Amino acid sequence: MPGERSTDGGHSLAGVEHVPGVAKPDPVLVVEKMRRAFGGLVAVDVDHLEVQRGVITALIGPNGAGKTTFFNLLTGFDRPDTGSVVFNGRDVERLKSHGRAREGMVRTFQLTKALTKLSVLENMKLGAGGQTGEHFLQSLFPFLWKSQEDAIEERARELLRRFRLDHMADEFSGTLSGGQRKLLEMARALMASPAVVMLDEPVAGVNPALTQSLLEHVRRLPGEGVTVIFVEHDMDVVWDISDWVVVMAEGAVIAEGYPESIGKNQAVIDAYLGSDHDGDELDEGSAR
């Protein structure tokens, strides 16, 4: 059974048809004619996809469905052969990953990217954009950047308190557990005040206690004006926190809808279980 919805995401999508490529009332992200092939293998072939603003959207599919490649294409870590990405009404296809981050599209990684020889607080401060002191000439004059630096540190400490990592602020990030590094990576992503956070398997390798803490933080994000898109294999998590689910198979989007409807969708059941499972429903166990 799905858990409590993050926001009014279910209401904002009320009346939206559960078919691949359906138009959304207020899309923050629109993908058009996106294709990526590696030699003769077509990894992604998405004709049209819209992501609704202010909701938590899960991207799921069996192994080899193209989810990770699609994620990389959306965030600028890979380039499509054809197609476009429109973010907040602007075509960002020519922007690289850092340019998209400046526009407000920030991602995390399945394998965390914390700088282990820097402190937790220093890792957090790196996530803030537009830092005047990063420019060589301005860095020579502390009065130009000191007040901004103080504000950045204050926000970093506030986020660390929220994620219950404040007691580790001065420790090397390399001393954190795997679950704590996931929390640090999400907290650092929020330093950029993003419009969209894209999470790549956010609970992979995280112990159950920290998983619940991390998911609670994810649930809160839409209420703070942050749209969430996440790739996940753990269907318990998908049913629990997502407002909308997009399903990929063989590089294409084969289904969209509320979590409750996705588990009963025959195309999804066939993709995960094979076509000889007519009448079955996709549940947590069968989707792993």
Side-chain angles (χ1 to χ4, degrees), residues 164-220:
R164 299 180 183 175
L165 291 172
D166 50 308
H167 64 292
M168 302 289 289
D170 297 320
E171 302 293 330
F172 288 128
S173 64
T175 65
L176 299 180
S177 69
Q180 289 173 324
R181 291 190 192 190
K182 291 276 189 175
L183 289 171
L184 172 60
E185 185 146 294
M186 185 179 297
R188 186 175 59 185
L190 297 181
M191 285 293 295
S193 301
V196 171
V197 167
M198 304 183 69
L199 310 174
D200 191 356
E201 298 198 36
V203 301
V206 180
N207 69 54
L210 279 179
T211 291
Q212 288 307 310
S213 174
L214 195 149
L215 295 182
E216 284 302 321
H217 292 303
V218 175
R219 285 192 187 96
R220 290 174 55 180

Side-chain angles (χ1 to χ4, degrees), residues 42-279:
V42 178
V44 171
D45 189 8
V46 174
D47 185 60
H48 184 84
L49 179 68
E50 299 184 10
V51 176
Q52 174 71 4
R53 188 186 311 274
V55 306
I56 298 177
T57 298
L59 179 63
I60 70 171
N63 290 333
K67 304 183 298 297
T68 297
T69 301
F70 187 47
F71 220 58
N72 289 337
L73 293 172
L74 292 178
T75 52
F77 284 83
D78 192 10
R79 309 290 291 183
D81 300 321
T82 61
S84 65
V85 179
V86 175
F87 174 58
N88 267 335
R90 178 186 175 186
D91 189 337
V92 296
E93 186 49 47
R94 293 186 179 181
L95 295 181
K96 297 182 179 180
S97 56
H98 61 274
R100 299 185 198 197
R102 291 195 190 101
E103 291 294 312
M105 184 193 299
V106 177
R107 73 168 291 177
T108 67
F109 296 84
Q110 181 181 352
L111 300 177
T112 55
K113 303 296 183 180
L115 300 177
T116 58
K117 298 300 184 182
L118 294 181
S119 73
V120 169
L121 181 61
E122 289 167 335
N123 268 272
M124 288 291 293
K125 291 162 70 173
L126 286 174
Q131 298 189 45
T132 304
E134 290 181 341
H135 300 280
F136 176 72
L137 290 179
Q138 287 95 320
S139 70
L140 301 177
F141 305 98
F143 67 89
L144 292 175
W145 49 262
K146 186 63 169 65
S147 60
Q148 183 191 45
E149 178 76 7
D150 291 342
I152 288 171
E153 180 164 334
E154 181 179 353
R155 174 163 171 76
R157 291 189 181 277
E158 176 188 343
L159 283 168
L160 287 176
R161 285 192 294 272
R162 170 176 162 183
F163 282 79
R164 299 180 183 175
L165 291 172
D166 50 308
H167 64 292
M168 302 289 289
D170 297 320
E171 302 293 330
F172 288 128
S173 64
T175 65
L176 299 180
S177 69
Q180 289 173 324
R181 291 190 192 190
K182 291 276 189 175
L183 289 171
L184 172 60
E185 185 146 294
M186 185 179 297
R188 186 175 59 185
L190 297 181
M191 285 293 295
S193 301
V196 171
V197 167
M198 304 183 69
L199 310 174
D200 191 356
E201 298 198 36
V203 301
V206 180
N207 69 54
L210 279 179
T211 291
Q212 288 307 310
S213 174
L214 195 149
L215 295 182
E216 284 302 321
H217 292 303
V218 175
R219 285 192 187 96
R220 290 174 55 180
L221 292 178
E224 300 169 4
V226 181
T227 302
V228 179
I229 308 169
F230 72 101
V231 172
E232 187 52 65
H233 285 288
D234 188 332
M235 304 311 292
D236 285 326
V237 172
V238 172
W239 300 156
D240 188 23
I241 68 169
S242 60
D243 299 310
W244 192 259
V245 179
V246 175
V247 186
M248 292 185 69
E250 298 181 353
V253 174
I254 63 168
E256 291 188 54
Y258 291 140
E260 301 93 319
S261 69
I262 288 298
K264 303 174 184 178
N265 185 299
Q266 190 60 48
V268 178
I269 295 167
D270 290 347
Y272 273 99
L273 302 179
S275 58
D276 59 338
H277 286 263
D278 290 349

